[in-house]
Amino acid sequence: QVQFVESGGGLVESGGSLRLSCEITESIFSTSVLAWYRQFPGKPRGWVARSNPAEKTDYADSVKGRFTISRDNARNILYLQMDNLQTADTATYYCNTIPSRMDWGQGTQVTVSP
């Protein structure tokens, strides 16, 4: 069974930074396109950053230049460094593969205050 365990969210002021972590089942980590998604209330999840097995990265326009995705292949952990956070980044953040699997983690809440 594939598992995703997100952590690192919290409350931060606008302009601040957070680093999210996601522990992922070893069996899929090194062979999958891994991604961070976020979900606004009442909206579907959308990916914001992705990393392929060769560590080529891609970002949604809304976070480009502010968020950095990285992978620790030895520990099977996916990271999302979020800098210059804005109130519009307030959401629940999840990790999963692309295409996404049916099992999602609990997510981690990021709240950015003005």
Side-chain angles (χ1 to χ4, degrees):
Q1 182 180 356
V2 175
Q3 290 187 319
F4 303 96
V5 182
E6 302 92 348
S7 62
L11 174 64
V12 64
E13 291 184 348
S14 180
S17 298
L18 284 172
R19 188 175 83 154
L20 306 183
S21 300
C22 178
E23 297 178 51
I24 300 175
T25 307
E26 179 179 2
S27 63
I28 67 162
F29 191 92
S30 62
T31 59
S32 301
V33 176
L34 302 176
W36 284 97
Y37 295 74
R38 67 184 179 186
Q39 186 172 28
F40 303 111
K43 303 290 186 181
R45 294 183 188 99
W47 71 269
V48 294
R50 60 189 180 189
S51 171
N52 74 5
E55 302 193 47
K56 181 180 184 300
T57 59
D58 196 14
Y59 299 90
D61 287 344
S62 58
V63 307
K64 201 170 292 184
R66 300 188 298 120
F67 289 12
T68 304
I69 187 172
S70 61
R71 316 161 63 118
D72 184 334
N73 292 320
R75 300 173 62 199
N76 301 321
I77 299 176
L78 184 72
Y79 297 103
L80 185 68
Q81 177 67 40
M82 304 187 296
D83 298 317
N84 191 21
L85 282 161
Q86 305 300 312
T87 55
D89 297 315
T90 295
T92 304
Y93 287 73
Y94 301 85
C95 60
N96 207 305
T97 56
I98 291 181
S100 63
R101 295 175 173 266
M102 293 184 63
D103 293 326
W104 291 83
Q106 80 287 354
T108 187
Q109 177 67 36
V110 171
T111 303
V112 184
S113 63

